[in-house]
Amino acid sequence: MKPNMEYLPGYEELAVKRLPQMEPEQFQQWAALLKQRTGMRLPDNRTSFLATNLGMRMRELGINDYQTYFDFVQKGREGAIEWDRLVHHLTVHETRFLRQESVISLICEEHLPACREQCSSPALNIDVWSVGCSTGEEPYSIAMAIDDHMQQMGCQYYLGITASDISRSALAHGRKGIYSRQQVKNIEPRWLDNYFSVTDDEKFQVNEDLRKRVCFNHLNILDIGAAPIGMMDIIVCQNLLIYFDKEQRIAIANTLAAHLKPGGLLILGVGELLNWKHPELTRFTYANTLAFKRQAHLSDGQHGPDA
Ligand SMILES: C[S@@+](CC[C@H](N)C(=O)[O-])C[C@H]1O[C@@H](n2cnc3c(N)ncnc32)[C@H](O)[C@@H]1O
């Protein structure tokens, strides 16, 4: 039988700290703000998820009602900082090293050999963009795979990875590049030896050489049209588009396509964008991937985003 909380000592204090009930209109108001600012859809059955996460921050700030907090996150510099914090709690950051092995083999077994064949200079320049990079496992996996492959091939190369995300906390984690034993369990011992050092508290930190190649940038994907992102050889955007509606997915994919160099490869999450076609991109069929290749030379009248 449940205890009757009204008769327990300290109940009043507990009641003050209890989450306020979230009314459907309040949910709609927050969901609309989230959608407008991040593009994320919050389905109606996520009320308790939203209430729990808002409630956590509200309690820390001593705010007792959703409306006050709603007004607060929209006001001034403090509101903007608070919004950044909140976004981290409301977005999904699940990721892991070598999450999609087929993507790694597509890059190393298919794409890089083709680039090497077409490259006339002694060193290959490789610019990669990991879009929605979370805490860094995806860009570091790509960096390790490319470095390992190019060394084994005995090829000179320059690698620069742009890793962007809307969550500043996730980016800060990525910049440090420190992971637990559990988080690195998918990485083969040779790569662990080559690319990580063990910290005093038995964690694994990505070596400085590799960290220097990955540049973490705060970027809301909805603002990519205005972002100072250059042209890329490889763009990877996985497990992010699923949070957007179809029109936004298409708009984002079109903008990513515009950032691809001739011959560049765009890799999306499998099943994240159905029946999308782009006049300058061709579907590149490779098992367990959703990839597109930009034609090797731009024809007259076709320009990148900088044109
Ligand atoms: C599920 S993680 C995917 C991580 C990695 N790409 C992977 O596949 O393992 C999704 C990431 O997208 C980020 N994200 C969500 N909305 C975003 C937006 N509007 N702009 C940029 N990043 C966003 C989240 O912060 C989160 O880190």
Side-chain angles (χ1 to χ4, degrees), residues 38 92-93 95 99 132 134 138 165-166 219-221 238-239:
T38 70
V92 179
H93 303 286
T95 185
R99 185 176 195 176
S134 190
E138 178 180 274
D165 201 280
I166 198 171
L219 176 65
N220 181 342
I221 200 168
Q238 299 182 102
N239 303 302

Side-chain angles (χ1 to χ4, degrees), residues 88-111:
H88 180 73
H89 291 285
L90 297 181
T91 41
V92 179
H93 303 286
E94 190 192 332
T95 185
R96 57 183 181 275
F97 283 102
L98 306 169
R99 185 176 195 176
Q100 197 71 38
E101 285 190 20
S102 50
V103 165
I104 298 293
S105 60
L106 163 62
I107 292 173
C108 294
E109 309 304 327
E110 291 285 333
H111 189 62

Side-chain angles (χ1 to χ4, degrees), residues 5 78 213 245 268:
M5 302 296 284
E78 268 185 55
R213 295 180 183 196
D245 61 31
L268 305 175

